[in-house]
Amino acid sequence: MNFEPYPFEKLTNLLENIQPNKGYFPSVLTIGEPQFETPDFIQKALAKNAALLKKYPKTTGESVLREAQRNFISKRFEVALDDTQIIPTFGTREVLFNFPQFLLFDKKEPVIAYTNPFYQIYEGAALATRSKVIHLNLSERNNFKPEIDEDELAKCDLVILNFPNNPTTATLSLEELGDWVKLALKHDFVLLNDECYSEIYTNKPTPSLLEAALHVNNIAFKNILVINSISKRSSAPGLRSGFIAGDATILEEYMKYRTYIGCASPLPLQYAAAEAWNDEEHVAKSRAVYKENFQIAKTILGTKIPDATFYLWINVGDALEFTKRLYKNYNVKVLPGEYLAREDAKGENPGKDFIRIALVESPQKTKDALIRIKECLNEQR
């Protein structure tokens, strides 16, 4: 298998011969990793349950964790699930890589469609399953929402959406998600929405694909799945706590598959994660910080405040040259958008000319970095 280097490796290669301006403190705005302390009550729960390391964890997850995750879905999205409709996972990256391998194993010529730009694990899963890929381009022309081509979708076995979207920050309404549910039923493909940014919204809570399924009367969630995690929500990526939820028929067989791949979460992590899933107060505090960062960006850069995520997706012209100049002159790292996307069948890379900025630092550090970015932008005008 010939996997592409990850975007951060490409960035390292792009900048390796550049000496940054030592007159500035380094600012790294490349990775979607919250730079805040994991809330104290989560850390205490982890320490309290450390003695459980002596026990093997069950692949199905502890009941306390499954219940916490189902409660989260119920309170946040008003969707009631039973235990057959959810599986706790070791974060979501492993699911995005191994679920397509499970789902597409018996397909002779599998086809996967996913949003472009994308989280690179989608591409890795396509390579691992020898799937043909259909890119659902997200561009300014379509307001960063995937255009629907039913002739193409009719060929698909699996379609992966990612809304709220990384990196474009776009969201889909309940009605728009409902249209995708109808397409999954009409053309009999499995539709999975990566909802890891669902809790990082700036004003109105964003909808889930599960809500949309109920909205269009798909009460059994046939062909419908979502994934989510607490990495962004709780500033706890190291807990590796996520879930996949939806179609019970699919999940029943996927659960059997998971017993072989050895990715059960250690028990102390599960108990700490349960505390995190059950609490909303700490999430509201994080949202307030991210919203403040967006307000700062609006003041300094004139950018709009997006509905969700903690990213800025900005057209800077030649993004590779801008990224190098920003690092050399101002000691700030950002990520070129073309590293997060691929050329489609027409030779178009929808990430070209864009940079992604992760606003994951404190407001003061964010302000300092954005002022430098503004100065760099002014240089090229």
Side-chain angles (χ1 to χ4, degrees), residues 205-259:
T206 57
S208 169
L209 188 65
L210 296 178
E211 288 179 272
L214 297 183
H215 184 65
V216 298
N217 205 35
N218 181 2
I219 59 175
F221 307 111
K222 177 175 170 55
N223 288 4
I224 302 303
L225 295 164
V226 303
I227 62 168
N228 211 327
S229 88
I230 60 171
S231 295
K232 323 296 183 184
R233 177 184 183 272
S234 300
S235 301
L239 273 184
R240 311 308 303 139
S241 180
F243 62 75
I244 181 170
D247 188 324
T249 301
I250 296 173
L251 294 181
E252 180 181 13
E253 296 304 312
Y254 180 50
M255 186 66 248
K256 295 176 186 176
Y257 171 85
R258 289 184 64 80
T259 61

Side-chain angles (χ1 to χ4, degrees), residues 8-291:
F8 310 110
E9 182 180 345
K10 292 181 179 180
L11 179 65
T12 297
N13 292 336
L14 178 72
L15 303 178
E16 67 175 340
N17 294 319
I18 298 175
Q19 291 297 319
N21 187 341
K22 300 299 183 183
Y24 293 101
F25 189 79
S27 180
V28 180
L29 306 178
T30 56
I31 302 176
E33 179 183 73
Q35 297 301 297
F36 309 112
E37 289 296 318
T38 301
D40 188 58
F41 77 95
I42 300 175
Q43 297 188 47
K44 287 180 177 178
L46 179 63
K48 177 183 176 181
N49 291 283
L52 293 175
L53 286 171
K54 68 180 182 180
K55 294 181 177 292
Y56 281 115
K58 299 191 291 286
T59 304
T60 54
E62 294 299 300
S63 60
V64 65
L65 177 58
R66 294 197 308 274
E67 182 178 357
Q69 291 174 334
R70 287 191 290 107
N71 285 343
F72 160 73
I73 294 169
S74 177
K75 288 185 291 186
R76 172 65 172 82
F77 303 112
E78 297 185 352
V79 174
L81 301 179
D82 62 39
D83 264 356
T84 69
Q85 295 171 309
I86 188 168
I87 298 174
T89 60
F90 197 58
T92 55
R93 184 172 176 172
E94 57 98 344
V95 182
L96 288 165
F97 189 64
N98 67 52
F99 176 75
Q101 295 176 59
F102 152 76
L103 184 72
L104 304 176
F105 180 79
D106 292 323
K107 303 289 184 181
K108 287 187 177 181
E109 297 179 337
V111 179
I112 298 179
Y114 49 79
T115 46
N116 184 36
F118 53 83
Y119 178 33
Q120 193 158 317
I121 206 70
Y122 306 165
E123 181 181 73
L127 286 166
T129 55
R130 296 185 174 89
S131 294
K132 176 185 175 182
V133 173
I134 296 173
H135 288 120
L136 305 174
N137 281 5
L138 309 177
S139 66
E140 288 180 298
R141 183 185 68 253
N142 56 31
N143 294 316
F144 305 109
K145 298 183 179 186
E147 296 176 352
I148 293 172
D149 182 333
E150 291 203 43
D151 290 337
E152 291 283 87
L153 292 175
K155 305 171 187 175
C156 293
D157 300 295
L158 172 63
V159 174
I160 303 175
L161 300 180
N162 170 215
F163 291 95
N165 185 255
N166 165 25
T168 71
T169 78
T171 59
L172 294 184
S173 68
L174 185 67
E175 289 72 22
E176 288 170 323
L177 287 170
D179 289 340
W180 279 95
V181 174
K182 293 175 186 176
L183 288 167
L185 295 174
K186 179 179 179 180
H187 298 294
D188 196 27
F189 59 78
V190 173
L191 178 63
L192 184 151
N193 193 30
D194 179 349
E195 300 183 355
C196 287
Y197 290 89
S198 70
E199 303 315 288
I200 312 300
Y201 53 84
T202 54
N203 186 18
K204 182 181 178 181
T206 57
S208 169
L209 188 65
L210 296 178
E211 288 179 272
L214 297 183
H215 184 65
V216 298
N217 205 35
N218 181 2
I219 59 175
F221 307 111
K222 177 175 170 55
N223 288 4
I224 302 303
L225 295 164
V226 303
I227 62 168
N228 211 327
S229 88
I230 60 171
S231 295
K232 323 296 183 184
R233 177 184 183 272
S234 300
S235 301
L239 273 184
R240 311 308 303 139
S241 180
F243 62 75
I244 181 170
D247 188 324
T249 301
I250 296 173
L251 294 181
E252 180 181 13
E253 296 304 312
Y254 180 50
M255 186 66 248
K256 295 176 186 176
Y257 171 85
R258 289 184 64 80
T259 61
Y260 287 88
I261 60 179
C263 55
S265 177
L267 292 174
L269 273 65
Q270 289 194 47
Y271 279 87
E275 295 286 335
W277 284 111
N278 274 323
D279 184 79
E280 289 297 323
E281 183 178 351
H282 75 288
V283 189
K285 291 178 181 177
S286 294
R287 274 196 295 269
V289 174
Y290 294 130
K291 187 171 183 177

